[in-house]
């Protein structure tokens, strides 16, 4: 079974470029990517708790899509938007560890997305991360689905967990001790809501 992939980006534009940034992201950046074969979903989120403010997620049929010519051609184009005024920029690509084939919204619409990052984590800790996620979210009321992704490296990787849920599910904090020895690698615990473009 070929696991699905994920492309994720976190960022926060400075106030003086906010409008230009949103225009570029909504009308150029996202449409270019969803036109690439193998991009199966695209969604933006706004942070309610944590930092940086914006999160973009793209489900991929396989993470190898990012090595294909269609995607690489996008990267070869001259940039049309400056990134030197974007703070907290973080880019992640990886393979879906659990459940393996799910995409955003598979279990219905959700009002919140919890994002956890485990930074530079030894792959031997993967089982501890999975255990912590299962114990925290498997039986929690209001959780639609949760997924875990491992970055494209071997030996030591970034892991991203995404938990799609209703707002009520965020009222109860996670129990960090349930992650055991993997807890020391968790450096992001953000709560997001879907981004909607407000037009006059």
């Amino acid at each position: 079974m070929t696991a699905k992939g994920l492309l994720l980006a976190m960022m926060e534009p400075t106030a003086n470029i906010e409008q230009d940034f949103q225009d570029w992201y909504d009308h150029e950046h996202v449409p270019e990517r969803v036109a690439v074969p193998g991009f199966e979903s695209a969604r933006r989120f706004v942070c309610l708790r944590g930092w940086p403010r914006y999160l973009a997620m793209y489900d991929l049929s396989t993470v190898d899509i990012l090595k294909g010519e269609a995607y690489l051609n996008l990267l070869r184009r001259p940039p049309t938007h400056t990134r030197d005024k974007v703070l907290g920029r973080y880019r992640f690509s990886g393979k879906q560890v659990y459940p393996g084939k799910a995409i955003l919204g598979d279990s219905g619409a959700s009002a919140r997305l919890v994002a956890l990052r485990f930074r530079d984590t030894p792959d031997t800790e993967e089982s501890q991360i999975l255990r912590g996620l299962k114990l925290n979210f498997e039986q929690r009321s209001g959780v639609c689905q949760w997924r875990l992704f491992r970055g494209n490296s071997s030996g030591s990787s970034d892991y991203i967990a995404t938990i799609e849920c209703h707002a009520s599910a965020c009222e109860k904090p996670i129990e960090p001790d349930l992650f055991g020895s993997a807890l020391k690698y968790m450096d992001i615990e953000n709560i997001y809501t879907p981004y909607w473009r407000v037009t006059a």
Side-chain angles (χ1 to χ4, degrees):
M1 178 182 77
T2 302
K4 301 274 189 190
L6 180 75
L7 176 61
L8 174 148
M10 295 178 177
M11 71 224 76
E12 181 162 336
T14 56
N16 61 314
I17 66 163
E18 173 92 21
Q19 188 60 52
D20 288 343
F21 173 85
Q22 303 301 355
D23 289 342
W24 167 73
Y25 222 97
D26 289 342
H27 301 303
E28 182 179 334
H29 192 76
V30 171
E32 285 179 342
R33 276 141 187 82
V34 296
V36 173
F39 274 66
E40 297 185 335
S41 76
R43 195 64 192 265
R44 295 185 65 199
F45 297 87
V46 181
C47 200
L48 298 176
R49 191 185 77 196
W51 187 84
R53 187 176 181 195
Y54 293 106
L55 170 71
M57 284 177 47
Y58 307 88
D59 283 305
L60 311 173
S61 58
T62 167
V63 74
D64 291 336
I65 293 299
L66 303 179
K67 300 176 184 175
E69 276 302 303
Y71 182 73
L72 293 176
N73 284 338
L74 283 182
L75 302 185
R76 294 183 186 116
R77 296 180 188 174
T80 59
H81 189 276
T82 181
R83 296 180 182 176
D84 60 350
K85 294 182 180 179
V86 176
L87 308 175
R89 190 165 181 265
Y90 172 74
R91 182 185 183 277
F92 170 91
S93 62
K95 182 182 294 186
Q96 191 175 146
V97 173
Y98 180 89
K101 301 288 283 183
I103 66 171
L104 186 70
D106 262 356
S107 298
S110 58
R112 299 289 184 267
L113 179 85
V114 178
L116 307 178
R117 182 176 72 184
F118 298 81
R119 197 75 188 264
D120 296 325
T121 308
D123 293 344
T124 53
E125 297 287 349
E126 185 175 295
S127 61
Q128 288 294 315
I129 298 173
L130 280 167
R131 176 181 179 274
L133 291 168
K134 287 179 179 179
L135 292 174
N136 269 291
F137 300 109
E138 194 79 26
Q139 302 300 322
R140 183 178 295 204
S141 176
V143 170
C144 300
Q145 74 173 355
W146 61 270
R147 301 182 291 166
L148 179 65
F149 301 86
R150 180 179 59 245
N152 293 320
S153 62
S154 60
S156 178
S157 310
D158 284 2
Y159 284 81
I160 294 288
T162 62
I163 300 94
E164 299 161 48
C165 55
H166 302 303
S168 59
C170 296
E171 294 172 2
K172 177 185 175 183
I174 69 167
E175 296 183 43
D177 291 346
L178 296 177
F179 289 100
S181 56
L183 176 61
K184 63 184 175 183
Y185 302 101
M186 188 170 74
D187 67 344
I188 282 182
E189 182 193 340
N190 290 356
I191 298 176
Y192 293 88
T193 192
Y195 162 90
W196 300 100
R197 185 68 183 249
V198 178
T199 56

